[in-house]
Amino acid sequence: MQQEPSGHGPAEIVACVSQKGGVGKTTTAVNLAAALAENKIRTLLVDLDPQANATSAVGVEKQAGRSLYGPLHGEGTALQKVTKTAYSPLSLIPSEEDLAAAEIEIAQMENYLGKLHAILQPVRASGRFRVILIDCPPALGMLSMNSLAAADFLLITLQCEYMALEGLGQILRNVERLKAARVNERLELGGVIMTMYDARTNLARQVVDEVRQHLPDKIFGTVIPRTVRLSEAPSFGKPITAYDPDGPGTEAYRGLAAAVIARFGLKYARPAVQIGRAHF
Ligand code: ATP
Ligand code: MG
């Protein structure tokens, strides 16, 4: 039974991945991270998208040399790139435009799927964080695949719109492939988050029902509403918990954080066991 207080064990790595752009990955990564931090969960947000939306959304400026670009190329360590945010205990590894080049360069490297896993290992084992949340770029490119290879859990955000389920199969097949190839046997679908829900439309309700039928154990009960506040907050460099603390967006992400804490057992330290990994 897990009874230790929060802290000390290795961190869980959670990747927000999608094969499609603009489905609420970054909004979810940022606001879930902030809501976890409100619960005193030591959270590290890793911005792996060259667009650096998550970086600016927590009020950190893009700056050359601060991203994982260097460590992915064997220069410096990921721990050196960790920076504090104003939303303690939320820390960030920022992104920068160079990461776009990494997308191509990694593909030429040996052991190309295991690059992120390797550089995150010391961060995971440092005991500084309980959870590491990775915000991935749109599309299932090399950086997203590296995130899947490094993660314990995958979080999928789906927009409450027609064809929401399109592409879900593709990600799930990739997960199975990574497992079958023994690249990452731990990887699990951690959950599906329905975003941009508009209660006024029948379609949104139908889409949620459809996903619920397909993945009853994986869909989170908390659905994220479409609210203009969620789209405004990043331009103020604030997560929704700070920008609109009493609004529906905050309420939703707090609800999601509670569900994530329960589902992933984040209140407790994971026992510090070595997890064997096949070489690839
Ligand atoms: P990309 O694939 O380009 O990284 P993404 O999947 O990270 O996109 P977001 O950037 O989170 O998606 O969201 C896309 C757009 O929708 C943004 O402008 C964001 O502010 C807005 N948005 C996201 N969630 C909501 C919401 N619940 N209500 C209103 N607007 C939202
Ligand atoms: Mg994004």
Side-chain angles (χ1 to χ4, degrees):
M1 209 161 72
Q2 294 176 311
Q3 281 187 331
E4 280 179 79
S6 184
H8 316 303
E12 309 286 345
I13 301 185
V14 178
C16 292
V17 180
S18 77
Q19 83 302 331
K20 212 169 151 187
V23 292
K25 287 183 296 298
T26 303
T27 305
T28 294
V30 165
N31 294 309
L32 173 60
L36 289 172
E38 276 191 336
N39 282 275
K40 304 206 167 23
I41 309 279
R42 289 161 304 112
T43 304
L44 175 64
L45 179 62
V46 176
D47 190 352
L48 211 58
D49 183 352
Q51 298 176 98
N53 295 334
T55 300
S56 46
V58 292
V60 175
E61 263 181 50
K62 270 198 286 186
Q63 207 180 306
R66 291 180 75 183
S67 79
L68 286 182
Y69 182 84
L72 284 167
H73 291 75
E75 290 151 26
T77 68
L79 269 172
Q80 288 166 345
K81 307 296 177 190
V82 173
T83 172
K84 289 197 166 140
T85 73
Y87 310 100
S88 175
L90 173 62
S91 298
L92 171 80
I93 296 185
S95 167
E96 60 179 316
E97 278 147 28
D98 280 5
L99 274 177
E103 186 78 65
I104 301 149
E105 290 155 4
I106 290 174
Q108 334 266 317
M109 295 177 185
E110 218 178 292
N111 192 15
Y112 59 90
L113 279 179
K115 288 287 157 198
L116 184 68
H117 167 73
I119 65 169
L120 285 183
Q121 268 314 91
V123 184
R124 176 196 189 88
S126 69
R128 282 178 59 184
F129 307 105
R130 184 66 191 94
V131 62
I132 299 172
L133 210 53
I134 308 173
D135 183 33
C136 291
L140 283 175
M142 201 40 77
L143 290 169
S144 293
M145 290 304 286
N146 260 261
S147 299
L148 291 178
D152 300 290
F153 297 107
L154 155 69
L155 284 184
I156 297 178
T157 49
L158 291 182
Q159 217 174 322
C160 295
E161 284 189 355
Y162 185 58
M163 306 289 271
L165 280 166
E166 192 200 32
L168 186 62
Q170 196 192 340
I171 295 191
L172 297 180
R173 277 193 298 280
N174 272 295
V175 170
E176 288 316 312
R177 268 190 217 124
L178 289 173
K179 285 182 153 184
R182 300 193 154 186
V183 170
N184 183 359
E185 291 173 280
R186 294 188 319 272
L187 183 62
E188 260 183 61
L189 174 57
V192 175
I193 301 155
M194 303 306 298
T195 68
M196 303 187 219
Y197 180 81
D198 186 344
R200 292 167 306 182
T201 70
N202 285 332
L203 177 65
R205 243 170 292 142
Q206 283 163 11
V207 171
V208 173
D209 285 346
E210 194 185 351
V211 176
R212 204 167 272 143
Q213 275 168 22
H214 274 81
L215 296 162
D217 306 331
K218 297 298 181 184
I219 189 168
F220 281 102
T222 305
V223 168
I224 311 299
R226 183 181 281 283
T227 130
V228 70
R229 295 288 194 174
L230 277 168
S231 56
E232 286 168 357
S235 55
F236 293 89
K238 289 180 175 180
I240 195 69
T241 45
Y243 180 64
D244 187 26
D246 300 318
T250 294
E251 189 187 340
Y253 277 107
R254 282 185 180 144
L256 179 66
V260 164
I261 288 167
R263 196 178 283 189
F264 301 167
L266 296 182
K267 279 285 186 202
Y268 306 103
R270 212 164 60 153
V273 288
Q274 272 308 104
I275 295 159
R277 287 180 69 90
H279 223 73
F280 54 93

